[in-house]
């Protein structure tokens, strides 16, 4: 409420309020506070005059009223400055969500390895274990223990790369069969062995001098051709499509008897005939057969008690069919555009 001492404070209050309004930065306000409102500040010391006045209560009220107005104006301005400073800071830190995102580059797996893993998964699902075998092996394992003695014409079909008279780059993963049988010491076997193979083949769209196979070997009592067929049929259905069919064509491998080439119904035309299957409706993917009694005998299994089947699947060929890849050489050229394109296809 107004009283007779109000005027004592009017001028100085106006001056201080003017300074507050004109303050440009936070420090200006601190200076004002120090200069006028600190213990010995110009405004604070006016309180000392209370000693000289007759109505001390009214003087005190007028002083406090003016001081409160100054403090309120000062605090308000402090808040304004703090808010402005915060806004500037927030703007600096703000994320511009309209900026284009930096493309996240993730690597892609070569389709060859995708298919290799898929093949492994399918057979693991059927109870097979995955074995490894040497890529450089001796004549004994690559040929002799597979019933391919020296000078056997079957060697010509797989003419391969020799390190010396005895050591060579394996021409098929079948070389792992005798190793596995040796280690199993007459016990039942159910394995697959994926790996690189090498042949002195001329490279073309479907042949490479280095390629990969998955060998399968099952040995136990009462294993028959029906088991082999059922296994490969399931493999084809899981690998290609549930409508896939397989066809056995009789063939010849010295280490199996009977021997078969296995075709799968063309995934593209469902057996009607198209350019992918060259009009036949079927595509060859592997060689297989019942393990030859001589092979069993040479590795310590009695063929009267044990029987078994084996198969050798060409991994690149399966990958080509699975993803419609037209040239086997694409797998080895490390062309990132090919791999990225393939990745898109799989994810679509
Ligand atoms: C063999 O290699 C036999 N060891 C398979 C086998 C195993 C038969 C067990 C019986 C029992 P073949 O030479 O047909 O068979 O090769 C098998 C598969 O390997 C072929 O069906 C094909 O998919 C692939 N293949 C063969 N040669 C090449 C090559 N040069 N380039 C790419 N893939 C090939």
């Amino acid at each position: 409420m107004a009283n007779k001492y109000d005027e004592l404070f009017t001028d100085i209050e106006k001056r201080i309020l003017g300074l507050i309004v004109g303050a440009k930065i936070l420090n200006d306000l601190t200076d004002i506070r120090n200069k006028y409102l600190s213990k010995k500040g110009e405004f604070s010391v006016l309180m000392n005059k209370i000693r000289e006045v007759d109505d001390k209560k009214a003087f005190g009220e007028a002083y406090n009223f003016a001081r409160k107005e100054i403090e309120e104006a000062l605090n308000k301005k402090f808040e304004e400055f703090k808010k402005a400073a915060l806004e500037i800071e927030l703007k600096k830190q703000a994320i511009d969500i309209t900026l284009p995102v930096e493309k996240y580059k993730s690597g892609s797996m070569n389709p060859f390895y995708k298919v290799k893993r898929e093949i492994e998964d399918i057979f693991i699902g059927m109870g097979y274990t995955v074995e490894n075998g040497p890529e450089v092996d001796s004549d004994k394992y690559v040929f002799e223990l597979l019933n391919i003695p020296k000078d056997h014409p079957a060697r010509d079909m797989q003419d391969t790369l020799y390190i010396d008279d005895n050591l060579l780059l394996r021409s098929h993963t079948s070389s792992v069969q005798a190793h596995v049988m040796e280690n199993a010491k007459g016990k039942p076997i159910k394995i697959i062995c994926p790996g690189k193979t090498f042949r002195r083949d001329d490279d073309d769209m479907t042949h490479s001098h280095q390629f990969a196979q998955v060998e399968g070997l099952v040995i136990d009592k009462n294993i028959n051709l029906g088991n082999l067929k059922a296994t490969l049929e399931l493999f084809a259905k899981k690998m290609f499509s549930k409508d896939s069919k397989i066809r056995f064509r009789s063939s010849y491998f010295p280490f199996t008897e009977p021997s078969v080439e296995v075709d799968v119904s063309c995934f593209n035309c469902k057996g009607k005939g198209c350019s992918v299957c060259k009009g036949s409706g079927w595509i060859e993917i592997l060689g297989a057969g019942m393990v030859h009694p001589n092979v069993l005998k040479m590795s310590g299994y009695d063929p009267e008690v044990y029987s078994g089947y084996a198969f050798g699947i060409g991994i690149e060929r399966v990958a080509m069919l699975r993803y419609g890849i037209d040239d086997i050489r694409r797998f080895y050229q490390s062309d990132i555009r090919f791999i990225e394109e393939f990745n898109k296809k799989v994810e679509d």
Side-chain angles (χ1 to χ4, degrees), residues 158 171-172 174 177 199 201 206-209 211 213 215 253 255-256 261 284-289 310-314 317 328:
Q158 298 194 0
S171 57
H172 52 182
S174 297
Q177 288 189 19
R199 285 183 198 177
D201 264 351
T206 52
H207 292 84
S208 169
H209 60 278
F211 58 101
Q213 294 182 331
E215 192 74 12
F253 296 104
F255 37 96
T256 48
E261 303 271 14
E284 183 204 318
I285 54 162
L286 59 96
F311 53 84
I313 307 171
R317 295 268 178 93
I328 195 169

PDB file of all heavy atoms in Angstrom, residues 158 171-172 174 177 199 201 206-209 211 213 215 253 255-256 261 284-289 310-314 317 328, ligand 1:
ATOM      1  N   GLN A 158      39.023 -88.106 -63.783  1.00  0.00           N
ATOM      2  CA  GLN A 158      39.242 -87.089 -62.749  1.00  0.00           C
ATOM      3  C   GLN A 158      40.694 -86.632 -62.741  1.00  0.00           C
ATOM      4  O   GLN A 158      41.229 -86.280 -61.703  1.00  0.00           O
ATOM      5  CB  GLN A 158      38.878 -87.655 -61.373  1.00  0.00           C
ATOM      6  CG  GLN A 158      37.432 -88.029 -61.281  1.00  0.00           C
ATOM      7  CD  GLN A 158      36.983 -88.255 -59.856  1.00  0.00           C
ATOM      8  OE1 GLN A 158      37.740 -88.139 -58.921  1.00  0.00           O
ATOM      9  NE2 GLN A 158      35.724 -88.596 -59.715  1.00  0.00           N
ATOM     10  N   SER A 171      40.456 -84.979 -56.020  1.00  0.00           N
ATOM     11  CA  SER A 171      39.587 -84.694 -57.167  1.00  0.00           C
ATOM     12  C   SER A 171      38.120 -84.839 -56.807  1.00  0.00           C
ATOM     13  O   SER A 171      37.245 -84.507 -57.591  1.00  0.00           O
ATOM     14  CB  SER A 171      39.940 -85.627 -58.315  1.00  0.00           C
ATOM     15  OG  SER A 171      39.826 -86.964 -57.862  1.00  0.00           O
ATOM     16  N   HIS A 172      37.861 -85.384 -55.629  1.00  0.00           N
ATOM     17  CA  HIS A 172      36.485 -85.477 -55.118  1.00  0.00           C
ATOM     18  C   HIS A 172      36.542 -85.639 -53.594  1.00  0.00           C
ATOM     19  O   HIS A 172      37.578 -86.026 -53.038  1.00  0.00           O
ATOM     20  CB  HIS A 172      35.701 -86.633 -55.756  1.00  0.00           C
ATOM     21  CG  HIS A 172      36.409 -87.962 -55.686  1.00  0.00           C
ATOM     22  ND1 HIS A 172      35.895 -89.094 -56.238  1.00  0.00           N
ATOM     23  CD2 HIS A 172      37.591 -88.344 -55.114  1.00  0.00           C
ATOM     24  CE1 HIS A 172      36.712 -90.110 -56.025  1.00  0.00           C
ATOM     25  NE2 HIS A 172      37.747 -89.685 -55.354  1.00  0.00           N
ATOM     26  N   SER A 174      35.071 -87.830 -52.072  1.00  0.00           N
ATOM     27  CA  SER A 174      34.959 -89.255 -51.726  1.00  0.00           C
ATOM     28  C   SER A 174      36.216 -89.740 -51.023  1.00  0.00           C
ATOM     29  O   SER A 174      36.196 -90.757 -50.306  1.00  0.00           O
ATOM     30  CB  SER A 174      34.712 -90.099 -52.983  1.00  0.00           C
ATOM     31  OG  SER A 174      33.486 -89.739 -53.565  1.00  0.00           O
ATOM     32  N   GLN A 177      36.016 -90.715 -47.421  1.00  0.00           N
ATOM     33  CA  GLN A 177      35.303 -91.939 -46.981  1.00  0.00           C
ATOM     34  C   GLN A 177      36.229 -92.884 -46.201  1.00  0.00           C
ATOM     35  O   GLN A 177      35.895 -93.326 -45.093  1.00  0.00           O
ATOM     36  CB  GLN A 177      34.733 -92.692 -48.184  1.00  0.00           C
ATOM     37  CG  GLN A 177      33.548 -92.017 -48.845  1.00  0.00           C
ATOM     38  CD  GLN A 177      32.899 -92.914 -49.892  1.00  0.00           C
ATOM     39  OE1 GLN A 177      33.086 -94.131 -49.892  1.00  0.00           O
ATOM     40  NE2 GLN A 177      32.135 -92.309 -50.792  1.00  0.00           N
ATOM     41  N   ARG A 199      40.199 -80.469 -60.162  1.00  0.00           N
ATOM     42  CA  ARG A 199      40.346 -81.348 -61.326  1.00  0.00           C
ATOM     43  C   ARG A 199      40.945 -80.571 -62.477  1.00  0.00           C
ATOM     44  O   ARG A 199      40.739 -79.359 -62.569  1.00  0.00           O
ATOM     45  CB  ARG A 199      38.972 -81.875 -61.785  1.00  0.00           C
ATOM     46  CG  ARG A 199      38.430 -82.938 -60.880  1.00  0.00           C
ATOM     47  CD  ARG A 199      37.115 -83.495 -61.392  1.00  0.00           C
ATOM     48  NE  ARG A 199      36.446 -84.187 -60.290  1.00  0.00           N
ATOM     49  CZ  ARG A 199      35.263 -84.734 -60.366  1.00  0.00           C
ATOM     50  NH1 ARG A 199      34.577 -84.673 -61.500  1.00  0.00           N
ATOM     51  NH2 ARG A 199      34.744 -85.346 -59.333  1.00  0.00           N
ATOM     52  N   ASP A 201      39.973 -79.765 -65.146  1.00  0.00           N
ATOM     53  CA  ASP A 201      38.832 -79.554 -66.051  1.00  0.00           C
ATOM     54  C   ASP A 201      38.991 -78.202 -66.726  1.00  0.00           C
ATOM     55  O   ASP A 201      39.506 -77.268 -66.121  1.00  0.00           O
ATOM     56  CB  ASP A 201      37.524 -79.510 -65.240  1.00  0.00           C
ATOM     57  CG  ASP A 201      36.841 -80.857 -65.209  1.00  0.00           C
ATOM     58  OD1 ASP A 201      37.280 -81.768 -65.941  1.00  0.00           O
ATOM     59  OD2 ASP A 201      35.873 -81.003 -64.441  1.00  0.00           O
ATOM     60  N   THR A 206      29.603 -74.231 -66.499  1.00  0.00           N
ATOM     61  CA  THR A 206      29.186 -75.178 -65.454  1.00  0.00           C
ATOM     62  C   THR A 206      30.350 -75.972 -64.873  1.00  0.00           C
ATOM     63  O   THR A 206      30.144 -76.826 -64.006  1.00  0.00           O
ATOM     64  CB  THR A 206      28.130 -76.169 -66.012  1.00  0.00           C
ATOM     65  OG1 THR A 206      28.652 -76.736 -67.214  1.00  0.00           O
ATOM     66  CG2 THR A 206      26.807 -75.482 -66.279  1.00  0.00           C
ATOM     67  N   HIS A 207      31.563 -75.736 -65.375  1.00  0.00           N
ATOM     68  CA  HIS A 207      32.728 -76.460 -64.866  1.00  0.00           C
ATOM     69  C   HIS A 207      33.803 -75.510 -64.387  1.00  0.00           C
ATOM     70  O   HIS A 207      34.032 -74.466 -64.999  1.00  0.00           O
ATOM     71  CB  HIS A 207      33.350 -77.349 -65.956  1.00  0.00           C
ATOM     72  CG  HIS A 207      32.469 -78.483 -66.346  1.00  0.00           C
ATOM     73  ND1 HIS A 207      31.475 -78.347 -67.274  1.00  0.00           N
ATOM     74  CD2 HIS A 207      32.432 -79.764 -65.917  1.00  0.00           C
ATOM     75  CE1 HIS A 207      30.853 -79.511 -67.414  1.00  0.00           C
ATOM     76  NE2 HIS A 207      31.410 -80.387 -66.589  1.00  0.00           N
ATOM     77  N   SER A 208      34.461 -75.908 -63.288  1.00  0.00           N
ATOM     78  CA  SER A 208      35.581 -75.124 -62.792  1.00  0.00           C
ATOM     79  C   SER A 208      36.685 -76.104 -62.408  1.00  0.00           C
ATOM     80  O   SER A 208      36.399 -77.248 -62.026  1.00  0.00           O
ATOM     81  CB  SER A 208      35.118 -74.318 -61.578  1.00  0.00           C
ATOM     82  OG  SER A 208      36.231 -73.764 -60.935  1.00  0.00           O
ATOM     83  N   HIS A 209      37.945 -75.656 -62.495  1.00  0.00           N
ATOM     84  CA  HIS A 209      39.042 -76.568 -62.117  1.00  0.00           C
ATOM     85  C   HIS A 209      39.064 -76.739 -60.593  1.00  0.00           C
ATOM     86  O   HIS A 209      39.618 -77.698 -60.081  1.00  0.00           O
ATOM     87  CB  HIS A 209      40.381 -76.017 -62.609  1.00  0.00           C
ATOM     88  CG  HIS A 209      40.691 -74.673 -62.028  1.00  0.00           C
ATOM     89  ND1 HIS A 209      40.174 -73.515 -62.535  1.00  0.00           N
ATOM     90  CD2 HIS A 209      41.425 -74.318 -60.952  1.00  0.00           C
ATOM     91  CE1 HIS A 209      40.577 -72.481 -61.803  1.00  0.00           C
ATOM     92  NE2 HIS A 209      41.336 -72.947 -60.837  1.00  0.00           N
ATOM     93  N   PHE A 211      36.245 -76.674 -57.427  1.00  0.00           N
ATOM     94  CA  PHE A 211      34.839 -76.545 -57.060  1.00  0.00           C
ATOM     95  C   PHE A 211      34.665 -77.257 -55.724  1.00  0.00           C
ATOM     96  O   PHE A 211      35.645 -77.683 -55.116  1.00  0.00           O
ATOM     97  CB  PHE A 211      33.935 -77.121 -58.155  1.00  0.00           C
ATOM     98  CG  PHE A 211      34.204 -78.575 -58.472  1.00  0.00           C
ATOM     99  CD1 PHE A 211      33.394 -79.582 -57.961  1.00  0.00           C
ATOM    100  CD2 PHE A 211      35.280 -78.937 -59.273  1.00  0.00           C
ATOM    101  CE1 PHE A 211      33.648 -80.915 -58.244  1.00  0.00           C
ATOM    102  CE2 PHE A 211      35.544 -80.278 -59.556  1.00  0.00           C
ATOM    103  CZ  PHE A 211      34.726 -81.264 -59.042  1.00  0.00           C
ATOM    104  N   GLN A 213      32.353 -80.003 -53.187  1.00  0.00           N
ATOM    105  CA  GLN A 213      31.353 -81.067 -53.078  1.00  0.00           C
ATOM    106  C   GLN A 213      30.997 -81.269 -51.606  1.00  0.00           C
ATOM    107  O   GLN A 213      31.743 -80.863 -50.710  1.00  0.00           O
ATOM    108  CB  GLN A 213      31.907 -82.394 -53.612  1.00  0.00           C
ATOM    109  CG  GLN A 213      32.187 -82.404 -55.106  1.00  0.00           C
ATOM    110  CD  GLN A 213      32.689 -83.767 -55.582  1.00  0.00           C
ATOM    111  OE1 GLN A 213      33.323 -84.512 -54.842  1.00  0.00           O
ATOM    112  NE2 GLN A 213      32.395 -84.079 -56.828  1.00  0.00           N
ATOM    113  N   GLU A 215      30.316 -84.603 -49.513  1.00  0.00           N
ATOM    114  CA  GLU A 215      30.269 -86.055 -49.526  1.00  0.00           C
ATOM    115  C   GLU A 215      29.320 -86.511 -48.422  1.00  0.00           C
ATOM    116  O   GLU A 215      29.277 -85.904 -47.344  1.00  0.00           O
ATOM    117  CB  GLU A 215      31.670 -86.614 -49.233  1.00  0.00           C
ATOM    118  CG  GLU A 215      31.835 -88.091 -49.495  1.00  0.00           C
ATOM    119  CD  GLU A 215      31.894 -88.383 -50.996  1.00  0.00           C
ATOM    120  OE1 GLU A 215      32.027 -87.446 -51.789  1.00  0.00           O
ATOM    121  OE2 GLU A 215      31.807 -89.567 -51.362  1.00  0.00           O
ATOM    122  N   PHE A 253      30.338 -95.649 -60.852  1.00  0.00           N
ATOM    123  CA  PHE A 253      31.479 -95.182 -60.046  1.00  0.00           C
ATOM    124  C   PHE A 253      32.137 -96.450 -59.501  1.00  0.00           C
ATOM    125  O   PHE A 253      31.420 -97.350 -59.029  1.00  0.00           O
ATOM    126  CB  PHE A 253      31.028 -94.310 -58.866  1.00  0.00           C
ATOM    127  CG  PHE A 253      30.353 -93.028 -59.290  1.00  0.00           C
ATOM    128  CD1 PHE A 253      28.973 -92.905 -59.206  1.00  0.00           C
ATOM    129  CD2 PHE A 253      31.092 -91.950 -59.754  1.00  0.00           C
ATOM    130  CE1 PHE A 253      28.340 -91.731 -59.583  1.00  0.00           C
ATOM    131  CE2 PHE A 253      30.462 -90.774 -60.144  1.00  0.00           C
ATOM    132  CZ  PHE A 253      29.082 -90.660 -60.059  1.00  0.00           C
ATOM    133  N   PHE A 255      33.519 -97.047 -56.834  1.00  0.00           N
ATOM    134  CA  PHE A 255      33.386 -97.230 -55.379  1.00  0.00           C
ATOM    135  C   PHE A 255      31.954 -97.439 -54.925  1.00  0.00           C
ATOM    136  O   PHE A 255      31.683 -97.532 -53.726  1.00  0.00           O
ATOM    137  CB  PHE A 255      34.018 -96.047 -54.620  1.00  0.00           C
ATOM    138  CG  PHE A 255      33.819 -94.717 -55.301  1.00  0.00           C
ATOM    139  CD1 PHE A 255      32.779 -93.891 -54.930  1.00  0.00           C
ATOM    140  CD2 PHE A 255      34.678 -94.309 -56.317  1.00  0.00           C
ATOM    141  CE1 PHE A 255      32.591 -92.669 -55.554  1.00  0.00           C
ATOM    142  CE2 PHE A 255      34.480 -93.083 -56.954  1.00  0.00           C
ATOM    143  CZ  PHE A 255      33.449 -92.265 -56.576  1.00  0.00           C
ATOM    144  N   THR A 256      31.002 -97.480 -55.858  1.00  0.00           N
ATOM    145  CA  THR A 256      29.612 -97.791 -55.480  1.00  0.00           C
ATOM    146  C   THR A 256      29.041 -98.826 -56.437  1.00  0.00           C
ATOM    147  O   THR A 256      29.405 -98.892 -57.606  1.00  0.00           O
ATOM    148  CB  THR A 256      28.728 -96.518 -55.509  1.00  0.00           C
ATOM    149  OG1 THR A 256      28.956 -95.825 -56.721  1.00  0.00           O
ATOM    150  CG2 THR A 256      28.981 -95.611 -54.322  1.00  0.00           C
ATOM    151  N   GLU A 261      23.292 -91.510 -61.043  1.00  0.00           N
ATOM    152  CA  GLU A 261      23.351 -90.044 -61.112  1.00  0.00           C
ATOM    153  C   GLU A 261      21.963 -89.612 -60.659  1.00  0.00           C
ATOM    154  O   GLU A 261      20.966 -90.251 -61.006  1.00  0.00           O
ATOM    155  CB  GLU A 261      23.543 -89.549 -62.557  1.00  0.00           C
ATOM    156  CG  GLU A 261      24.761 -90.070 -63.259  1.00  0.00           C
ATOM    157  CD  GLU A 261      25.998 -89.215 -63.061  1.00  0.00           C
ATOM    158  OE1 GLU A 261      25.985 -88.351 -62.163  1.00  0.00           O
ATOM    159  OE2 GLU A 261      26.974 -89.441 -63.786  1.00  0.00           O
ATOM    160  N   GLU A 284      20.744 -82.510 -63.231  1.00  0.00           N
ATOM    161  CA  GLU A 284      21.624 -83.399 -62.457  1.00  0.00           C
ATOM    162  C   GLU A 284      22.330 -82.628 -61.341  1.00  0.00           C
ATOM    163  O   GLU A 284      22.855 -81.548 -61.564  1.00  0.00           O
ATOM    164  CB  GLU A 284      22.681 -84.007 -63.387  1.00  0.00           C
ATOM    165  CG  GLU A 284      23.565 -84.990 -62.659  1.00  0.00           C
ATOM    166  CD  GLU A 284      24.924 -85.173 -63.333  1.00  0.00           C
ATOM    167  OE1 GLU A 284      24.974 -85.261 -64.563  1.00  0.00           O
ATOM    168  OE2 GLU A 284      25.922 -85.212 -62.590  1.00  0.00           O
ATOM    169  N   ILE A 285      22.284 -83.193 -60.153  1.00  0.00           N
ATOM    170  CA  ILE A 285      22.966 -82.485 -59.058  1.00  0.00           C
ATOM    171  C   ILE A 285      24.034 -83.312 -58.342  1.00  0.00           C
ATOM    172  O   ILE A 285      24.866 -82.763 -57.648  1.00  0.00           O
ATOM    173  CB  ILE A 285      21.979 -81.943 -57.993  1.00  0.00           C
ATOM    174  CG1 ILE A 285      21.061 -83.042 -57.464  1.00  0.00           C
ATOM    175  CG2 ILE A 285      21.201 -80.754 -58.519  1.00  0.00           C
ATOM    176  CD1 ILE A 285      20.400 -82.655 -56.151  1.00  0.00           C
ATOM    177  N   LEU A 286      23.981 -84.625 -58.496  1.00  0.00           N
ATOM    178  CA  LEU A 286      24.958 -85.399 -57.712  1.00  0.00           C
ATOM    179  C   LEU A 286      25.138 -86.812 -58.238  1.00  0.00           C
ATOM    180  O   LEU A 286      24.337 -87.309 -59.029  1.00  0.00           O
ATOM    181  CB  LEU A 286      24.518 -85.451 -56.245  1.00  0.00           C
ATOM    182  CG  LEU A 286      23.156 -86.056 -55.909  1.00  0.00           C
ATOM    183  CD1 LEU A 286      23.283 -87.530 -55.516  1.00  0.00           C
ATOM    184  CD2 LEU A 286      22.522 -85.303 -54.755  1.00  0.00           C
ATOM    185  N   GLY A 287      26.225 -87.431 -57.753  1.00  0.00           N
ATOM    186  CA  GLY A 287      26.457 -88.847 -57.997  1.00  0.00           C
ATOM    187  C   GLY A 287      26.299 -89.585 -56.680  1.00  0.00           C
ATOM    188  O   GLY A 287      26.584 -89.027 -55.615  1.00  0.00           O
ATOM    189  N   ALA A 288      25.862 -90.847 -56.745  1.00  0.00           N
ATOM    190  CA  ALA A 288      25.620 -91.590 -55.499  1.00  0.00           C
ATOM    191  C   ALA A 288      25.594 -93.092 -55.766  1.00  0.00           C
ATOM    192  O   ALA A 288      25.728 -93.536 -56.912  1.00  0.00           O
ATOM    193  CB  ALA A 288      24.287 -91.147 -54.885  1.00  0.00           C
ATOM    194  N   GLY A 289      25.429 -93.856 -54.724  1.00  0.00           N
ATOM    195  CA  GLY A 289      25.305 -95.300 -54.890  1.00  0.00           C
ATOM    196  C   GLY A 289      25.473 -96.031 -53.576  1.00  0.00           C
ATOM    197  O   GLY A 289      25.705 -95.404 -52.531  1.00  0.00           O
ATOM    198  N   ALA A 310      26.547 -93.774 -50.301  1.00  0.00           N
ATOM    199  CA  ALA A 310      27.373 -92.569 -50.341  1.00  0.00           C
ATOM    200  C   ALA A 310      26.855 -91.677 -51.454  1.00  0.00           C
ATOM    201  O   ALA A 310      26.210 -92.150 -52.397  1.00  0.00           O
ATOM    202  CB  ALA A 310      28.835 -92.938 -50.591  1.00  0.00           C
ATOM    203  N   PHE A 311      27.104 -90.407 -51.304  1.00  0.00           N
ATOM    204  CA  PHE A 311      26.721 -89.463 -52.371  1.00  0.00           C
ATOM    205  C   PHE A 311      27.707 -88.308 -52.395  1.00  0.00           C
ATOM    206  O   PHE A 311      28.390 -88.028 -51.403  1.00  0.00           O
ATOM    207  CB  PHE A 311      25.285 -88.956 -52.190  1.00  0.00           C
ATOM    208  CG  PHE A 311      24.991 -88.376 -50.829  1.00  0.00           C
ATOM    209  CD1 PHE A 311      25.298 -87.058 -50.526  1.00  0.00           C
ATOM    210  CD2 PHE A 311      24.389 -89.163 -49.838  1.00  0.00           C
ATOM    211  CE1 PHE A 311      25.014 -86.527 -49.271  1.00  0.00           C
ATOM    212  CE2 PHE A 311      24.108 -88.632 -48.579  1.00  0.00           C
ATOM    213  CZ  PHE A 311      24.422 -87.316 -48.289  1.00  0.00           C
ATOM    214  N   GLY A 312      27.806 -87.681 -53.554  1.00  0.00           N
ATOM    215  CA  GLY A 312      28.689 -86.511 -53.693  1.00  0.00           C
ATOM    216  C   GLY A 312      27.938 -85.410 -54.434  1.00  0.00           C
ATOM    217  O   GLY A 312      27.623 -85.546 -55.610  1.00  0.00           O
ATOM    218  N   ILE A 313      27.610 -84.345 -53.688  1.00  0.00           N
ATOM    219  CA  ILE A 313      26.801 -83.257 -54.260  1.00  0.00           C
ATOM    220  C   ILE A 313      27.723 -82.104 -54.676  1.00  0.00           C
ATOM    221  O   ILE A 313      28.582 -81.689 -53.897  1.00  0.00           O
ATOM    222  CB  ILE A 313      25.801 -82.707 -53.204  1.00  0.00           C
ATOM    223  CG1 ILE A 313      24.979 -83.842 -52.596  1.00  0.00           C
ATOM    224  CG2 ILE A 313      24.909 -81.631 -53.796  1.00  0.00           C
ATOM    225  CD1 ILE A 313      24.124 -83.415 -51.402  1.00  0.00           C
ATOM    226  N   GLY A 314      27.532 -81.571 -55.860  1.00  0.00           N
ATOM    227  CA  GLY A 314      28.299 -80.390 -56.288  1.00  0.00           C
ATOM    228  C   GLY A 314      27.660 -79.133 -55.700  1.00  0.00           C
ATOM    229  O   GLY A 314      26.535 -78.786 -56.046  1.00  0.00           O
ATOM    230  N   ARG A 317      26.849 -76.219 -58.188  1.00  0.00           N
ATOM    231  CA  ARG A 317      25.726 -76.566 -59.078  1.00  0.00           C
ATOM    232  C   ARG A 317      24.399 -76.362 -58.344  1.00  0.00           C
ATOM    233  O   ARG A 317      23.444 -75.846 -58.901  1.00  0.00           O
ATOM    234  CB  ARG A 317      25.833 -78.025 -59.530  1.00  0.00           C
ATOM    235  CG  ARG A 317      27.042 -78.308 -60.384  1.00  0.00           C
ATOM    236  CD  ARG A 317      26.742 -78.166 -61.875  1.00  0.00           C
ATOM    237  NE  ARG A 317      27.958 -78.415 -62.645  1.00  0.00           N
ATOM    238  CZ  ARG A 317      28.290 -79.604 -63.139  1.00  0.00           C
ATOM    239  NH1 ARG A 317      27.491 -80.642 -62.941  1.00  0.00           N
ATOM    240  NH2 ARG A 317      29.400 -79.750 -63.830  1.00  0.00           N
ATOM    241  N   ILE A 328      29.168 -70.536 -63.369  1.00  0.00           N
ATOM    242  CA  ILE A 328      29.845 -70.986 -62.134  1.00  0.00           C
ATOM    243  C   ILE A 328      31.003 -70.055 -61.762  1.00  0.00           C
ATOM    244  O   ILE A 328      31.322 -69.884 -60.588  1.00  0.00           O
ATOM    245  CB  ILE A 328      30.332 -72.446 -62.296  1.00  0.00           C
ATOM    246  CG1 ILE A 328      30.694 -73.050 -60.932  1.00  0.00           C
ATOM    247  CG2 ILE A 328      31.505 -72.552 -63.260  1.00  0.00           C
ATOM    248  CD1 ILE A 328      30.928 -74.546 -60.956  1.00  0.00           C
TER     249      ILE A 328
HETATM  250  C1  LIG B   1      32.029 -87.687 -58.075  1.00  0.00           C
HETATM  251  O1  LIG B   1      32.856 -86.799 -57.876  1.00  0.00           O
HETATM  252  C2  LIG B   1      31.787 -88.771 -57.114  1.00  0.00           C
HETATM  253  N1  LIG B   1      32.838 -88.778 -56.122  1.00  0.00           N
HETATM  254  C3  LIG B   1      30.413 -88.625 -56.470  1.00  0.00           C
HETATM  255  C4  LIG B   1      30.003 -89.815 -55.673  1.00  0.00           C
HETATM  256  C5  LIG B   1      30.178 -89.818 -54.320  1.00  0.00           C
HETATM  257  C6  LIG B   1      29.448 -90.925 -56.318  1.00  0.00           C
HETATM  258  C7  LIG B   1      29.808 -90.922 -53.558  1.00  0.00           C
HETATM  259  C8  LIG B   1      29.075 -92.034 -55.565  1.00  0.00           C
HETATM  260  C9  LIG B   1      29.258 -92.020 -54.198  1.00  0.00           C
HETATM  261  P1  LIG B   1      31.100 -86.590 -60.246  1.00  0.00           P
HETATM  262  O2  LIG B   1      32.380 -86.480 -60.947  1.00  0.00           O
HETATM  263  O3  LIG B   1      29.899 -86.864 -61.064  1.00  0.00           O
HETATM  264  O4  LIG B   1      31.100 -87.608 -59.070  1.00  0.00           O
HETATM  265  O5  LIG B   1      30.844 -85.214 -59.440  1.00  0.00           O
HETATM  266  C10 LIG B   1      29.768 -85.058 -58.558  1.00  0.00           C
HETATM  267  C11 LIG B   1      29.189 -83.642 -58.710  1.00  0.00           C
HETATM  268  O6  LIG B   1      30.232 -82.669 -58.596  1.00  0.00           O
HETATM  269  C12 LIG B   1      28.573 -83.380 -60.078  1.00  0.00           C
HETATM  270  O7  LIG B   1      27.226 -83.850 -60.112  1.00  0.00           O
HETATM  271  C13 LIG B   1      28.660 -81.891 -60.163  1.00  0.00           C
HETATM  272  O8  LIG B   1      27.603 -81.316 -59.436  1.00  0.00           O
HETATM  273  C14 LIG B   1      29.947 -81.576 -59.448  1.00  0.00           C
HETATM  274  N2  LIG B   1      31.071 -81.382 -60.399  1.00  0.00           N
HETATM  275  C15 LIG B   1      31.812 -82.302 -61.022  1.00  0.00           C
HETATM  276  N3  LIG B   1      32.779 -81.748 -61.776  1.00  0.00           N
HETATM  277  C16 LIG B   1      32.644 -80.418 -61.633  1.00  0.00           C
HETATM  278  C17 LIG B   1      33.349 -79.259 -62.145  1.00  0.00           C
HETATM  279  N4  LIG B   1      34.398 -79.375 -62.935  1.00  0.00           N
HETATM  280  N5  LIG B   1      32.900 -78.042 -61.800  1.00  0.00           N
HETATM  281  C18 LIG B   1      31.863 -77.909 -60.963  1.00  0.00           C
HETATM  282  N6  LIG B   1      31.156 -78.931 -60.433  1.00  0.00           N
HETATM  283  C19 LIG B   1      31.540 -80.180 -60.766  1.00  0.00           C
END
